[in-house]
Amino acid sequence: MKRIILLIAVATVAGALAAPASQLANKEDAPIFVKTIPDGYRDWRLISVAREEGNLNDIRAILGNDVAMKAYREAKLPFPEGTIIARLAWSHDASEENNKTFGRAQSFVAGAVKNGVQFMVKDSKKYAATGGWGFAHFNDGKSADDTLLHTCFGCHQAVKDRDLVFTRYAP
Amino acid sequence: MKRIILLIAVATVAGALAAPASQLANKEDAPIFVKTIPDGYRDWRLISVAREEGNLNDIRAILGNDVAMKAYREAKLPFPEGTIIARLAWSHDASEENNKTFGRAQSFVAGAVKNGVQFMVKDSKKYAATGGWGFAHFNDGKSADDTLLHTCFGCHQAVKDRDLVFTRYAP
């Protein structure tokens, strides 16, 4: 009996995962986090760059898919459906090679991938519970657990007037 | 007479500028610097990011055209003909907004465009005198003068074993 219940549970979960977003939109089991890495994000265009000191201690790039880039360049808010913003980061490594050429210690370059890859995916229905954005964080291709992901929406409230997006476009 | 000579000189220079690269290739008057901004470079893909302290004091992104990206990802050296690498830079600005959210001073973002835009254009014949690379630096859309551009090739000698290119691909 226990085994049958388990099988039904597995089938239900599998069904929910297979259901198109439109079917999930108004249900309580609607996903609030993004658990699949968007295809081809490393080829997206550059929105901006940033540097985090402290515990993060990285240098980062924020890329956008075509929908994101168009919205940024037209200063369109809120971001349209289908917008995806990616945050990549690497270790902030001193470059001995560059320093030698410059004749002084001043150069830092991107080293190994660090602090995971993050995404914000705009789908107002699917992610209605979190301001229309699905949040994602992947370490080595694996999604962070929901405990971490639950922290995203709260912090992004700080920039509610920019549709929850911190990064501004670098000209 | 002086005026006629001047006119002939102007016409000769104009003719040389209008001549296609192939005709200039083996002439002594071949260009060694790039004086036109490559089209659409802001839409190119990201090679890496970097931070320069000291007098430069900027945060930067290095972008590549399709030829560059393919070569980087296939670790192909020397870079093929048609490779163009762009270096963009912005002021390295503390972000009060981000710091407030993080609860500590740690965040720096890209501000105004700074230290111009630079390019390396691979054309082994046209730029044979400078290792097959044409160097460029533009401030507000205007090319830097040759005095500055003459410094490029010398410094890039430091990475002769990587075809004169400092930047490594950020995964």
Side-chain angles (χ1 to χ4, degrees), chain A:
Chain A
M1 185 60 182
K2 206 172 169 185
R3 196 171 164 193
I4 292 169
I5 291 169
L6 184 67
L7 280 173
I8 292 168
V10 168
T12 307
V13 170
L17 289 173
S22 57
Q23 285 180 31
L24 290 166
N26 296 313
K27 289 187 182 177
E28 279 181 10
D29 58 354
I32 57 165
F33 304 126
V34 180
K35 295 297 178 96
T36 310
I37 296 181
D39 278 342
Y41 72 89
R42 184 62 183 79
D43 283 335
W44 293 349
R45 287 176 282 171
L46 181 74
I47 298 168
S48 192
V49 291
R51 154 88 174 122
E52 292 296 336
E53 294 181 349
N55 292 334
L56 289 170
N57 192 19
D58 65 35
I59 185 162
R60 36 185 62 199
I62 296 88
L63 309 182
N65 68 354
D66 290 345
V67 182
M69 295 310 287
K70 192 168 183 292
Y72 263 112
R73 288 171 177 177
E74 294 173 359
K76 191 179 276 181
L77 283 177
F79 284 90
E81 302 296 305
T83 295
I84 313 183
I85 297 168
R87 194 279 290 146
L88 293 76
W90 301 271
S91 61
H92 183 251
D93 293 359
S95 168
E96 292 310 319
E97 188 170 66
N98 293 7
N99 289 342
K100 207 189 282 178
T101 306
F102 279 117
R104 54 171 291 172
Q106 67 169 53
S107 251
F108 296 85
V109 296
V113 167
K114 193 175 176 184
N115 297 329
V117 185
Q118 297 182 330
F119 298 93
M120 286 178 72
V121 178
K122 189 67 177 273
D123 184 327
S124 299
K125 287 186 182 168
K126 194 170 176 180
Y127 306 116
T130 45
W133 290 101
F135 293 90
H137 181 113
F138 299 92
N139 290 316
D140 297 325
K142 283 173 203 143
S143 174
D145 65 24
D146 289 359
T147 317
L148 175 73
L149 294 176
H150 270 290
T151 66
C152 302
F153 181 54
C155 273
H156 282 257
Q157 292 288 328
V159 282
K160 210 170 178 179
D161 62 335
R162 292 208 307 280
D163 196 19
L164 306 178
V165 175
F166 279 101
T167 303
R168 297 167 194 267
Y169 182 79

